[in-house]
Amino acid sequence: MASEIINEIKSQIKIGNNFLISGGAGSGKTYSLMKVIDLIYEIDSSSTIACITFTNIAANEIKHRAKHEKLEVFTIHDFLWKSIKNYQNDLKKSLVDLVIMEKEVEKSGIKYTGEKDISIEYLQDKEINYKDYRKIDNGILSHDDIFKISNYMFKTYPLLCDVLKDKYGYILIDEYQDTEEQVIDIFLKYLPKSNDKKNIIGFFGDSMQSIYSNRIGDLKQYIKDGLVFEIKKNDNWRCSETVIDLLNKIRTDDIQQTRKRRGDEIDIDLSGSAKFIYSNAEDIDFESIKINPLFEHWDFNDVNETKELYLTHNLIADKAGFGKIFQIYNNDEIIKQVKKIKKKSEEGSSLDDIKSKTFEEVLNMDIAKETPAFQGFISENGELFNQTKSIFFEELSRIRLNTDQLIGNNSDKLCIHLKKIQERIDLYETKQVNEFTRKVDYKILSINDKKELKSAIDTIVNQKNETIETIVNLADSMNIVKKDDNFTNFINENQYVYDRVKSLPFTEITNLYKFEEKKTPYSTQHGIKGAEFNNVFVILDNGKWNLYNFKHFFEETARKESIVERTNKMFYVCCSRAKKNLIVFYHQPGGIALTKAKEWFGPENVLEI
């Protein structure tokens, strides 16, 4: 890290200012974090530092690289839980308050639909615990609950802020842009209001790589208000010079990177390549495209060095082996039919007339016109349709199905539950015994307990080709993954969805999990964040994902600013994964898009194939 940046950080620490180190892709932000830790201990050897990371992998890497006695490294969930877990009385009161708040105003608190009355009296003899599943009536909170209850407690009980500031002189937050806004509020709104003792919050990240929804994204307002001092890094140690030139053009802030050469790169050509290719043909065969001379030296079988990056999942699902469950979430004919009927009834002011009717009754009304696709679906799925006919239309109309709920950080509670099961199977099969035993809800007090646990997981592994319902029931009965409140609530509110999913082979979940764990040749814009490859082939395809739109992005469409900004960040993340060579494919671009491509890539690098 350059001496001028070190000196700037040092001066901000001595003044007592919160600071942010902003750097683009490949700028060495983790290395900067390590250097800042060393710097703090040079200045203040007696202080305790809390370092907060986005993943367990990142936490373990920092623990390995920065071996200071008074350094504590956490994921954000673990940090928050450690901060509040000993205050059981306040935890119980906060849980009760948040359950009540949620009943009064949706999404304001913690959802609970069980039969028990969650009150102080009811919780008196229970201990509040945090696990990776939720069981509110047993006092068990899950991941999302930790954010909400921590924010509420730090806001409500200033003593918590005092204790935290007394314990940690410095709190360093890696990948800050991916942190929940309600967590940032704890550090920058609630802590400053407590006692006179001051601590320093350090942030590390890049607002251009904020591609997850419902996260803080940036600290612009805090910087403007003088609560955070920003320090910018303009180095890039990863990408070729040509790729960096492209990245500088598509950034929307004033960070402009230059390629820094490592000691082992003295005789290496760092120029690289970045090309924009397109086709105006109606049908596209990507296998044929990949034998174009442009890809002559690319090895698509080497998934560690060459990545085929699709920006929508429908082009990947069948190839990766989870096409059946993807089809349900992406294009369920009954839910599509329900949406059409609901929209038509709203336009005709007759929605109240059909809410209390069954789906079969509504289908017999004039308002429902069956499409050929719907008729074909019910003829092929007669048993499912017969079960669905008796469900009230209002219940079906509340169901939301889209691929965001299947893949990624916004997966619904059913998919989260199913992936937990596969995660346990994967840990067991890859002999990660300690991590496996830590994850399962199984008390091991004797050798016999170990034998019982092994027998339980062996039973599941031996039957993983069975249906999803079979494996869910096995995992629950054997305490590998219990059916918790999240799972039960989902089934109660989305019985139709579970009826569709439960008869699929569990191998669909196995393959989905492998895809998300980067164990296939394919990836998406979210899946490659933080990764790097020598060669990256990016296919720009909106599909039906209305959060992103490449036409709007390349043409800078008016009144679509939020979509343009979101797509810009995703495009930046995709392109910045390339260490050497980047090829971007666009199907049937318009004239404005081609003009923009020539401006960014250079006219000689925009090629029709």
Side-chain angles (χ1 to χ4, degrees), residues 15 46 124 164 200 208 228 262 275 284 304 388 406 479 513 552 556 572 586 600:
I15 294 170
S46 64
Q124 185 174 2
L164 192 65
I200 294 175
M208 277 297 294
V228 176
R262 295 186 178 93
K275 299 185 183 302
I284 298 299
N304 293 318
T388 308
L406 175 70
N479 293 325
Y513 181 83
H552 293 330
E556 298 180 356
Y572 177 85
Y586 196 137
W600 282 346

Side-chain angles (χ1 to χ4, degrees), residues 311-312 525 538-543 545 548-557 563-564 567-568 570-572 574 584-586 593:
L311 299 181
T312 58
Q525 74 286 357
V538 181
I539 295 92
L540 305 185
D541 183 347
N542 300 325
W545 202 350
Y548 307 96
N549 189 294
F550 287 102
K551 183 177 186 297
H552 293 330
F553 168 54
F554 274 89
E555 298 181 3
E556 298 180 356
T557 306
I563 292 176
V564 169
T567 307
N568 190 0
M570 185 173 65
F571 185 62
Y572 177 85
C574 293
V584 174
F585 174 82
Y586 196 137

Side-chain angles (χ1 to χ4, degrees), residues 85 88 92 123-129 138-140:
K85 68 179 182 179
Q88 285 291 317
K92 292 171 184 177
L123 295 173
Q124 185 174 2
D125 297 327
K126 299 183 183 300
E127 181 178 358
I128 305 300
N129 283 301
N138 286 344
I140 297 173

